[in-house]
Amino acid sequence: MKQDPKILFWKVIGGIFAFLTLFIFLSWNGWLGYMPSLEELEDPKSNLATEVYSVDQKLIGKMYIQNRSVTRYDELSPFLVQALTATEDERFYDHSGIDYEAMLRAVTFLGRKGGGSTITQQLAKNMFHGVERTNIFNRVYQKFKEMLISIKLERRFTKEEIIALYFTTVEFGNNAFGIRTASRTFFNKEPKDLSLVESATLVGMLKASTLYNPKRNPERSLNRRNVVLKQMEKNGFLTETQLEEAKALPIKVDYAPETHREGMATHFREYLRKQLMHKKPNEEDYFFEGLDKDSIEYKREYARYQADLTRWEKNPLEGWCLKNKKPNGDTYNVYKDGLRIYTTIDSRMQTYAEEAVQESMTKLQKEFYDHWRNQKLPWDTTSIYKLALKRTDRYQTWKDLGKDWDEIYDLAQKPVKTTLFSWKGKIDTTISVWDSIRYSQKILQSAMLAMEVGTGQIKAWVGGINFEHSQYDHVNIGAKRQVGSTFKPLVYAAALELGEDPCQQIPNQPVTFPDFENWTPKNADGSIGGYYTMFSGLARSVNNIVAHFMKKIGPEIVIDYAKKLGITSFMDAVPSLCLGSFEISLVEMVGAYGAFPNGGEWVEPLYITRIEDKNGNVLADFTPKVEEVYDENTAFITTQLLQGVCRRGTGGSIWAYSNCYVGGKTGTTNENADGWFMGITPRLVVGCWTGAEDRRVRFRSTQLGGGSHSALPQVGRFLGKVYADKDLGFENRDFEVPKGFRMEVLNCANRGMETIDTSTTEEAIENVFE
């Protein structure tokens, strides 16, 4: 029986409609391929950079796979919104995710008169759908799914939220993902501060980020910007006059790429990254296995393991990302989760610290080259360079490729293109890895740390002279060097706490320790004779005087106090402790010195205050540990001892750089391998270490390699800059005298003659402090 054509027609139409309805239903629910859920729409997954902020709210760095940051609508310049809608979606505020008029135009003219995708559809593609397929069917189906996702987005978000999400997801090239990063990269501004022409330039890049890059292709970028401006005029955002005025303006790029190896506080940011991702210490990662358990080497390494393990277990920041869980049960990832980390670093003080290091080290490096010019270098040996080669990333790469030592050694002799560090700028050259190591061995390093008294907040952290060329951080707990005479104030403070009189007359004679193989230290200049008080003994850094007190109170007591001051580095209970013969990190020394101007109370150095998620929810707050170590009178007397060093002792040159109330102590280790200066003011503790990465690379004279010449100028320059900046609020005042303190305790001259040596009678009868 022949079927009625009309009935057949409607059956076909009905079948097509039923098929399309079923197709849309299955696609909508994700049964024909991935479709984001409501939860994913509310919290879309994307690689968001973790941002690190200073205490004065400056962005000082990021950690990322993709350099992308979340941007809210109220953080956008109005020009950005106008330029985007005028160029990409003229009817954005009138449709519900799909612009049927634009879609019909795109199909009719095959895209020659503009595309049909709305801003919402582009957002759907950026967030959930990936790159278009080459297969025509897949491309069509992808577009269809983007339409469905855009409808879901329009139902879930406001138009303003869609605009903000879109600007967060788009890519601008030059490793800039999202409008916040792009505006900082190309114009060194926040998105809300972009001008009309800057906004039009960035929106113009969305068509082709490389082709219209204002740095790489300025002429094409200018033409594309003008097209965007014309669209803004066409859509009523600009008058014709405003259009012509804007088109006449050039594009002024202020290129400031954001990379982990550049910018401010690079060593600090890297240390912070490692801390957040630090795994629990494992015995297999240490080197005490197989050593004699009674040896110093075993004790030192096992102490390092125990200290690292204790820090990991008790320090809430150590391994924070691995210890804490997100609501979905996953651990946090600093590269993807868009965390906001608020540190104690002050961007202004960090700048001053970096400037002080650069100014001082430029001069010191030249002196080092001049010092060794035409001289045989004691470290210029094959064995030393072989050891240095094994520490390089290049060596590890070759080793991972299966190369043996002979092959690696041969490869290291072949010239390659490389960049060398110099204080006059980078040196691009062709040189062998071996020769680049020989060059780098002569580069001196430096580290500086500044901490606020009372709060423990680290205000400046300079881990080395240049992060790009040397990532090793000389500040943190893992970087230990012999501290020399900077440890002496800790011995004197322990003696004061036990009741010793700072004005007692101590003979400048050798002190022997019978229980330690008759160890007898000598003064650096070999001198003996005369009498010294604590004041003059520390000011002149006389070894015999500090050895006297070490013998009187014993090394065990000194170690006990040092541990209360936060020093976790291994210290053997031997009398050479008093001369700083063991290794301590700069951060430990700065923390320890902080107890003196803080009335005897040790405050743990703090460099981070809180962590927030990408939405600003606080995930963690951090406060320092506090411990009372000394009586406040002991602490005050120690500050006066340290002021004496800067008034009449080895730290006297500090006044050439700064004019504030300051105390401090210089330190120089054997054969001038390390130069130290620890400085204190009523508000700040500043420590500096200077030397080469290899201890065998050093000055031959203490006059050049000693702490007073190598490290002190850096601290002095820093303090001079800080106290000159009135906006920082560091009032130039003296150390506070404890309530009820008897000032006659410090008046050594009226209680007996203080002798520097037998010939300085005029100085001997002068009061220690005016």
Side-chain angles (χ1 to χ4, degrees):
M1 180 177 176
K2 190 174 182 181
Q3 196 168 22
D4 187 338
K6 290 183 178 180
I7 297 175
L8 180 61
F9 172 78
W10 287 110
K11 282 186 176 180
V12 171
I13 294 298
I16 293 174
F17 180 78
F19 173 78
L20 289 175
T21 301
L22 179 63
F23 183 72
I24 292 172
F25 175 79
L26 295 175
S27 297
W28 181 272
N29 290 283
W31 294 342
L32 296 181
Y34 168 72
M35 184 65 68
S37 64
L38 178 61
E39 291 75 18
E40 288 177 291
L41 290 175
E42 292 176 343
D43 186 21
K45 291 182 178 179
S46 60
N47 293 327
L48 294 176
T50 288
E51 298 182 331
V52 182
Y53 289 92
S54 66
V55 74
D56 53 326
Q57 301 303 305
K58 301 291 185 183
L59 178 67
I60 61 175
K62 293 183 176 182
M63 307 170 198
Y64 54 81
I65 294 175
Q66 291 182 341
N67 189 8
R68 186 196 310 276
S69 301
V70 172
T71 307
R72 299 192 309 269
Y73 185 81
D74 60 6
E75 296 173 323
L76 298 172
S77 165
F79 296 125
L80 279 171
V81 179
Q82 294 168 5
L84 179 66
T85 54
T87 308
E88 298 293 328
D89 194 349
E90 294 175 313
R91 288 172 290 279
F92 174 70
Y93 293 101
D94 300 324
H95 62 67
S96 299
I98 302 171
D99 186 344
Y100 296 101
E101 182 180 337
M103 188 178 357
L104 180 61
R105 181 193 62 209
V107 172
T108 302
F109 296 99
L110 300 178
R112 290 192 296 271
K113 293 190 176 182
S117 293
T118 64
I119 290 174
T120 316
Q121 286 175 269
Q122 293 178 48
L123 174 62
K125 175 185 174 183
N126 293 341
M127 293 173 68
F128 303 109
H129 220 65
V131 181
E132 291 185 358
R133 313 283 180 170
T134 54
N135 180 287
I136 185 65
F137 173 78
N138 287 336
R139 290 181 64 184
V140 171
Y141 182 52
Q142 176 173 302
K143 290 293 184 183
F144 175 73
K145 289 212 294 182
E146 287 171 10
M147 292 167 61
L148 296 182
I149 295 172
S150 67
I151 293 172
K152 286 189 174 186
L153 288 170
E154 291 276 352
R155 289 183 176 184
R156 172 64 187 85
F157 299 107
T158 66
K159 290 290 186 180
E160 289 75 16
E161 289 172 331
I162 289 172
I163 290 281
L165 281 170
Y166 177 84
F167 271 122
T168 296
T169 59
V170 288
E171 179 181 354
F172 291 86
N174 287 77
N175 202 27
F177 296 83
I179 191 64
R180 184 186 297 277
T181 304
S183 62
R184 289 169 176 164
T185 298
F186 293 103
F187 298 108
N188 200 16
K189 290 183 177 181
E190 292 299 314
K192 65 180 179 179
D193 299 321
L194 291 171
S195 67
L196 168 62
V197 294
E198 291 165 345
S199 299
T201 300
L202 292 178
V203 169
M205 291 178 66
L206 297 176
K207 186 175 183 179
S209 59
T210 301
L211 187 64
Y212 301 117
N213 187 306
K215 181 172 175 60
R216 296 181 181 178
N217 300 302
E219 187 174 345
R220 287 176 176 171
S221 178
L222 181 67
N223 293 334
R224 176 61 183 165
R225 181 206 69 180
N226 291 343
V227 170
V228 174
L229 291 171
K230 179 62 178 175
Q231 283 296 112
M232 294 177 71
E233 187 265 343
K234 174 186 172 184
N235 285 272
F237 295 119
L238 300 177
T239 65
E240 189 171 345
T241 301
Q242 289 172 326
L243 170 64
E244 294 306 318
E245 290 175 349
K247 287 172 64 176
L249 295 173
I251 298 176
K252 295 182 179 179
V253 174
D254 185 1
Y255 190 62
E258 297 178 338
T259 70
H260 192 58
R261 292 193 168 211
E262 296 176 336
M264 180 179 292
T266 44
H267 286 90
F268 167 72
R269 282 154 39 202
E270 174 64 5
Y271 176 70
L272 181 61
R273 182 191 68 81
K274 289 180 177 178
Q275 286 290 93
L276 293 167
M277 301 295 289
H278 189 203
K279 295 181 180 180
K280 186 175 182 178
N282 189 313
E283 287 191 35
E284 296 176 357
D285 299 328
Y286 294 80
F287 305 101
F288 46 76
E289 188 174 344
L291 294 174
D292 182 352
K293 291 189 176 183
D294 293 327
S295 68
I296 291 293
E297 291 78 10
Y298 176 89
K299 292 177 181 179
R300 182 179 289 113
E301 189 66 9
Y302 195 78
R304 185 167 77 92
Y305 163 66
Q306 290 292 339
D308 289 348
L309 183 62
T310 300
R311 274 194 303 273
W312 195 91
E313 292 174 341
K314 295 186 177 182
N315 186 337
L317 185 61
E318 288 264 4
W320 185 89
C321 285
L322 305 179
K323 293 178 182 177
N324 293 274
K325 303 284 186 180
K326 293 186 286 188
N328 64 3
D330 294 339
T331 58
Y332 285 96
N333 190 316
V334 295
Y335 308 111
K336 296 181 177 181
D337 290 332
L339 301 174
R340 296 176 186 175
I341 301 174
Y342 293 89
T343 72
T344 63
I345 298 293
D346 187 295
S347 67
R348 297 159 296 182
M349 296 174 70
Q350 180 68 30
T351 298
Y352 295 149
E354 292 176 4
E355 289 175 351
V357 170
Q358 180 177 356
E359 291 165 7
S360 297
M361 292 303 294
T362 302
K363 179 176 180 289
L364 191 69
Q365 187 66 58
K366 183 179 183 303
E367 290 177 336
F368 188 75
Y369 287 146
D370 292 342
H371 180 70
W372 284 105
R373 185 171 284 116
N374 300 323
Q375 300 289 326
K376 179 176 174 55
L377 305 179
W379 62 85
D380 190 15
T381 65
T382 300
S383 60
I384 290 177
Y385 294 143
K386 282 183 177 180
L387 182 62
L389 174 61
K390 291 181 180 180
R391 295 172 180 162
T392 64
D393 294 336
R394 192 74 63 94
Y395 171 83
Q396 190 59 50
T397 300
W398 285 330
K399 189 176 180 182
D400 292 342
L401 291 173
K403 306 291 184 183
D404 60 27
W405 168 251
D406 290 337
E407 291 175 303
I408 291 175
Y409 182 78
D410 289 340
L411 287 169
Q413 311 304 315
K414 296 179 179 179
V416 294
K417 289 184 177 180
T418 190
T419 301
L420 301 176
F421 168 80
S422 85
W423 283 111
K424 294 182 179 180
K426 297 178 183 178
I427 302 173
D428 294 317
T429 185
T430 300
I431 190 174
S432 70
V433 173
W434 188 263
D435 286 336
S436 70
I437 290 173
R438 295 184 65 190
Y439 172 86
S440 299
Q441 286 288 98
K442 292 185 288 185
I443 301 294
L444 297 178
Q445 288 290 334
S446 186
M448 184 188 291
L449 191 70
M451 184 185 77
E452 186 176 52
V453 172
T455 66
Q457 292 193 1
I458 299 297
K459 296 300 180 183
W461 178 308
V462 182
I465 59 171
N466 184 275
F467 185 80
E468 183 179 353
H469 292 274
S470 177
Q471 288 80 52
Y472 189 80
D473 186 352
H474 295 277
V475 166
N476 74 60
I477 196 73
K480 304 177 191 297
R481 298 290 287 242
Q482 285 189 358
V483 292
S485 294
T486 58
F487 192 77
K488 289 177 180 177
L490 277 68
V491 179
Y492 284 126
L496 288 168
E497 188 70 4
L498 295 177
E500 294 294 327
D501 183 354
C503 290
Q504 62 183 289
Q505 302 291 309
I506 309 299
N508 178 23
Q509 296 294 331
V511 178
T512 299
F513 293 81
D515 295 338
F516 296 90
E517 299 180 352
N518 290 322
W519 180 74
T520 307
K522 297 180 180 179
N523 292 331
D525 60 1
S527 64
I528 57 173
Y531 289 83
Y532 289 78
T533 65
M534 280 190 185
F535 291 101
S536 54
L538 185 63
R540 303 297 184 187
S541 202
V542 184
N543 291 343
N544 288 339
I545 308 306
V546 75
H548 166 86
F549 288 105
M550 172 59 84
K551 186 172 184 178
K552 200 166 186 178
I553 64 177
E556 290 85 0
I557 289 179
V558 174
I559 289 176
D560 287 342
Y561 277 107
K563 288 181 177 178
K564 291 178 182 178
L565 293 170
I567 296 177
T568 60
S569 295
F570 173 74
M571 293 173 287
D572 199 19
V574 294
S576 60
L577 272 174
C578 66
L579 304 185
S581 60
F582 54 97
E583 297 176 340
I584 300 180
S585 66
L586 181 57
V587 68
E588 289 174 292
M589 289 299 289
V590 167
Y593 267 67
F596 302 139
N598 195 42
E601 196 171 65
W602 172 76
V603 181
E604 179 185 29
L606 179 73
Y607 46 89
I608 178 172
T609 56
R610 72 182 187 278
I611 298 175
E612 295 179 356
D613 66 14
K614 63 183 179 182
N615 298 315
N617 300 311
V618 177
L619 302 175
D621 285 304
F622 300 91
T623 55
K625 300 173 186 174
V626 178
E627 182 171 351
E628 188 174 328
V629 181
Y630 304 117
D631 177 83
E632 60 180 350
N633 290 340
T634 295
F636 178 69
I637 295 172
T638 308
T639 67
Q640 302 307 293
L641 293 175
L642 293 168
Q643 279 193 295
V645 175
C646 293
R647 291 185 178 182
R648 293 193 181 85
T650 58
S653 59
I654 193 78
W655 304 108
Y657 306 98
S658 60
N659 187 28
C660 60
Y661 287 96
V662 60
K665 184 67 189 82
T666 56
T668 309
T669 61
N670 291 338
E671 298 184 296
N672 313 302
D674 307 276
W676 288 79
F677 184 74
M678 300 297 303
I680 62 169
T681 74
R683 289 279 306 280
L684 287 173
V685 179
V686 188
C688 180
W689 164 88
T690 301
E693 292 192 357
D694 191 310
R695 289 171 172 80
R696 290 164 288 197
V697 181
R698 52 185 177 251
F699 283 101
R700 284 168 291 155
S701 72
T702 303
Q703 183 180 0
L704 292 174
S708 61
H709 182 76
S710 63
L712 179 148
Q714 299 175 64
V715 175
R717 284 189 167 98
F718 171 72
L719 289 174
K721 294 172 184 287
V722 168
Y723 277 88
D725 186 344
K726 301 305 179 185
D727 291 337
L728 287 172
F730 285 93
E731 182 185 354
N732 189 14
R733 55 181 173 81
D734 204 348
F735 295 89
E736 186 175 350
V737 181
K739 187 176 181 180
F741 181 79
R742 295 182 302 109
M743 293 301 292
E744 59 265 25
V745 171
L746 305 178
N747 195 352
C748 297
N750 291 337
R751 291 200 284 147
M753 183 170 290
E754 175 178 319
T755 308
I756 302 303
D757 58 45
T758 55
S759 63
T760 58
T761 55
E762 184 175 341
E763 187 172 9
I765 61 175
E766 184 180 353
N767 287 351
V768 176
F769 301 105
E770 291 81 10

